[in-house]
């Protein structure tokens, strides 16, 4: 394959990435499906000399590209969620109850189930735990078809202009915006938080493989990795988001009020700054970036600047996703699935069709909130939320990170299993997302038109 052919293919792929979301909107086909299949087709061609797609060989590059893509997606998710959260408000905690249930119950159940299944099938305990931790998070990158679309700036979708003093006329245009689709909200907020919350279990797998039994490292892991780093990560994200929001919206100097200028690159500066600071002080950077995005979104909620920031982040996310999906598809037809065996297939199928749906269902139906209240899910909505746990780029990052920390004997098998799971998830969830979400939206519209009994 010549360099000129690579340019041609890359250009066509970028064109597809631009037009596919609109073209496929009415069909049960996701852009991720098309790009992944296109990558697999490109992988059948000879590679340019020196180009390597073996994830074991190019592990550092895989880790960095997937890491940055997740960070961009997490900032986008934080800016997209309209439902506010106030830690002092019981109503806010209740409205976010699907998120807490999915994180506190469904994710640990998923990790434990996949780890026990892998161990029962003959996988080493540390590798089985790593597989469970890497495959547990709902992906914020590939789950766009079942997530909220983006920030609304007032009740009607319009925004006011900013005055010279930095105040936003849009702030008085109506009631504070909120998510009306609890399924999309639950899946979006879960994806925003569980990428960071899966990190302690990835660390536990590395420690189990390198440091031996739980008794030698468990206490420190519980206190610092499971609790301390989470708290630090959230605090850093909130602090940076609050400070940047003060500058962008309320700075006494007009030149620093970026919201008035409409400069959307603040979102990218915020995610890089937040992640770097959080990592330096020992927190979980993924959690920090999401918390920063949420905090920025909470400032001047009806200002159209939120939409501008979200759009630039979304475009960058789309470009990065394009690159990763094409490369992953190419790798699949170049040997990354070479170590896949019946154990990997069983784990992938079980996760997508049994483990995640049952774990999600159990977590959401336990003392479920009434469906007519924010955060309440009916039976159909619960089933959809439990089922659409899309696996994707986050799994690639966690596997690359862990393999860089310790040499796992089953590394190539782990890559094959994770890649196959992503392929299965993209195909199954991508096919069902559009019809299922439209069905639920029609039911919600009919229920709203009928009004209270």
């Amino acid at each position: 394959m010549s360099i000129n052919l690579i340019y041609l293919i890359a250009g066509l792929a970028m064109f597809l990435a631009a037009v596919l979301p609109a073209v496929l909107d009415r069909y049960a086909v996701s852009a991720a499906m098309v790009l992944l299949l296109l990558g697999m087709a490109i992988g059948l061609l000879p590679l340019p000399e020196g180009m390597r797609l073996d994830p074991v060989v190019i592990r550092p590059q895989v880790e960095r590209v997937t890491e940055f893509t997740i960070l961009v997606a997490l900032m986008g998710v934080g800016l997209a969620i309209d439902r506010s959260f106030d830690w002092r408000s019981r109503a806010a905690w209740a409205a976010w109850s699907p998120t807490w249930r999915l994180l506190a119950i469904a994710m640990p159940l998923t990790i434990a189930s996949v780890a026990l299944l892998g161990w029962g099938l003959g996988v080493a305990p540390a590798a089985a735990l790593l597989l469970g931790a890497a495959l547990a998070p709902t992906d914020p990158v590939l789950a766009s078809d079942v997530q909220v679309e983006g920030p609304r700036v007032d009740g009607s979708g319009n925004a006011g202009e900013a005055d010279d003093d930095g105040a936003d006329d849009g702030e008085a245009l109506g009631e504070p915006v909120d998510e009306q689709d609890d399924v999309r909200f639950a899946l979006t907020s879960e994806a925003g938080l569980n990428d960071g919350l899966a990190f302690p279990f990835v660390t536990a797998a590395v420690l189990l493989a390198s440091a031996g039994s739980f008794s030698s490292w468990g206490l420190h892991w519980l206190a610092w990795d499971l609790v301390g780093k989470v708290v630090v990560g959230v605090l850093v994200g909130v602090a940076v988001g609050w400070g940047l929001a003060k500058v962008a919206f309320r700075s006494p100097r007009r030149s620093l009020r970026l919201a008035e200028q409409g400069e959307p690159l603040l979102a990218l500066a915020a995610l890089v700054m937040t992640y770097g600071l959080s990592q330096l002080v020992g927190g979980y950077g993924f959690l920090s970036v999401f918390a920063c995005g949420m905090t920025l979104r909470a400032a001047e909620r009806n200002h159209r600047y939120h939409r501008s920031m979200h759009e630039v982040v979304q475009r960058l996310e789309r470009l990065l996703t394009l690159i990763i999906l094409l490369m992953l598809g190419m790798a699949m037809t170049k040997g990354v699935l070479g170590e896949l065996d019946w154990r990997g297939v069983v784990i992938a199928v079980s996760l997508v069709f049994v483990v995640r749906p049952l774990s999600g269902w159990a977590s959401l139906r336990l003392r479920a909130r009434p469906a007519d209240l924010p955060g309440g899910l009916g039976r159909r909505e619960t089933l959809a939320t439990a089922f659409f746990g899309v696996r994707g780029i986050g799994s690639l990052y966690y596997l690359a990170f862990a393999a860089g920390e310790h040499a796992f004997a089953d590394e190539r098998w782990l890559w094959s299993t994770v890649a196959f799971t992503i392929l299965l998830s993209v195909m199954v969830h991508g096919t069902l997302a559009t019809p299922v979400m439209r069905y639920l939206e029609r039911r919600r519209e009919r229920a709203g038109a009928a009004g209270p009994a």
Side-chain angles (χ1 to χ4, degrees):
M1 187 188 300
S2 68
I3 188 65
N4 296 323
L5 183 57
I6 291 176
Y7 275 117
L8 175 60
I9 293 174
L12 290 173
M14 290 182 184
F15 175 75
L16 286 176
V19 303
L20 280 178
V23 171
L24 300 176
D25 183 58
R26 63 173 63 184
Y27 302 108
V29 178
S30 69
M33 294 170 60
V34 176
L35 291 171
L36 196 58
L37 292 174
L38 177 62
M40 295 175 72
I42 296 173
L44 297 175
L45 302 173
L47 292 178
E49 185 178 353
M51 184 176 182
R52 306 293 296 273
L53 293 176
D54 185 346
V56 176
V57 176
I58 61 171
R59 187 192 307 114
Q61 292 88 339
V62 172
E63 181 181 348
R64 293 307 167 207
V65 172
T66 54
E67 178 183 41
F68 186 66
T69 303
I70 296 168
L71 292 173
V72 172
L74 289 174
M75 177 57 71
V77 167
L79 291 171
I81 294 178
D82 288 326
R83 181 168 299 175
S84 60
F85 178 73
D86 183 352
W87 65 272
R88 298 163 296 185
S89 169
R90 293 182 62 183
W93 283 93
W96 279 66
S97 62
T99 308
W100 313 137
R101 293 166 183 270
L102 289 169
L103 295 173
I105 302 174
M107 191 177 75
L109 281 177
T110 301
I111 294 173
S113 298
V114 172
L116 289 173
L117 178 59
W119 189 26
L121 293 175
V123 182
L129 178 57
L130 173 58
L131 188 63
L135 291 176
T138 300
D139 194 68
V141 183
L142 300 186
S144 58
D145 291 335
V146 293
Q147 291 182 353
V148 299
E149 294 182 358
R152 293 173 298 155
V153 291
D154 64 49
S156 64
N158 299 315
E161 296 290 334
D163 295 327
D164 288 343
D165 62 357
D168 181 16
D169 291 337
E171 190 175 4
L173 290 176
E175 297 296 323
V177 292
D178 192 7
E179 302 294 348
Q180 301 300 314
D181 190 331
D182 280 296
V183 174
R184 291 186 183 276
F185 164 73
L187 290 168
T188 305
S189 54
E190 179 199 13
L193 287 165
N194 67 5
D195 262 309
L197 294 177
F199 226 119
F201 301 96
V202 175
T203 303
V206 173
L207 290 171
L208 185 61
S210 59
S213 65
F214 182 81
S215 60
S216 62
W217 50 266
L219 200 58
H220 180 271
W221 177 83
L222 287 170
W224 178 238
D225 294 272
L226 190 60
V227 178
K229 288 188 172 184
V230 171
V231 174
V232 172
V234 172
L235 290 178
V236 169
V238 171
V240 175
W242 180 85
L244 291 177
K246 278 290 191 182
V247 172
F249 291 100
R250 297 294 183 183
S251 174
R253 298 188 61 177
R254 183 182 179 88
S255 60
L256 295 179
R257 294 201 296 267
L258 296 178
E260 290 185 21
Q261 304 170 31
E263 177 50 73
L265 292 181
L266 173 66
L268 299 181
L271 78 88
V272 176
M273 185 188 311
T274 304
Y275 187 68
L277 178 59
S278 182
Q279 294 294 104
L280 281 174
V281 299
Y284 288 130
F286 287 173
L287 282 177
S288 296
V289 171
F290 176 72
C292 178
M294 284 283 297
T295 305
L296 282 172
R297 180 71 184 95
E300 304 289 345
R301 297 189 66 83
N302 288 322
H303 202 296
R304 65 180 178 184
Y305 186 50
H306 296 295
R307 184 173 294 169
S308 299
M309 287 192 292
H310 181 263
E311 286 175 353
V312 74
V313 169
Q314 190 177 44
R315 282 176 170 80
L316 178 57
E317 177 190 338
R318 188 179 301 175
L319 177 61
L320 293 169
T321 304
L322 156 74
I323 295 171
I324 292 175
L325 287 177
L326 285 177
M327 297 295 286
L328 178 60
M330 292 170 63
M332 286 182 179
T333 47
K334 288 296 184 185
V336 77
L337 296 177
E339 296 296 319
L340 183 67
D341 57 15
W342 66 272
R343 298 176 302 166
V345 173
V346 168
I347 291 172
V349 172
S350 299
L351 172 65
V352 172
F353 292 105
V354 180
V355 173
R356 161 64 190 204
L358 289 182
S359 299
W361 176 269
S363 67
L364 294 170
R365 296 310 296 174
L366 181 66
R367 297 181 62 185
R369 184 170 169 83
D372 58 340
L373 296 177
L377 297 169
R379 290 187 178 274
R380 291 179 177 85
E381 288 77 13
T382 298
L383 182 60
T385 305
F387 181 75
F388 285 112
V390 181
R391 269 56 195 167
I393 292 173
S395 300
L396 297 175
Y397 168 74
Y398 278 127
L399 181 51
F401 169 82
E405 295 292 314
H406 178 78
F408 286 84
D410 297 325
E411 182 179 353
R412 291 193 179 276
W413 178 85
L414 289 168
W415 280 109
S416 293
T417 302
V418 168
F420 177 75
T421 305
I422 294 172
L423 176 63
L424 179 64
S425 176
V426 166
M427 296 304 169
V428 172
H429 296 132
T431 301
L432 296 176
T434 298
V436 169
M437 299 307 290
R438 285 188 174 171
Y439 167 74
L440 294 176
E441 288 166 3
R442 288 194 297 267
R443 287 190 75 254
R444 189 170 60 254
E445 290 170 359
R446 288 196 298 267

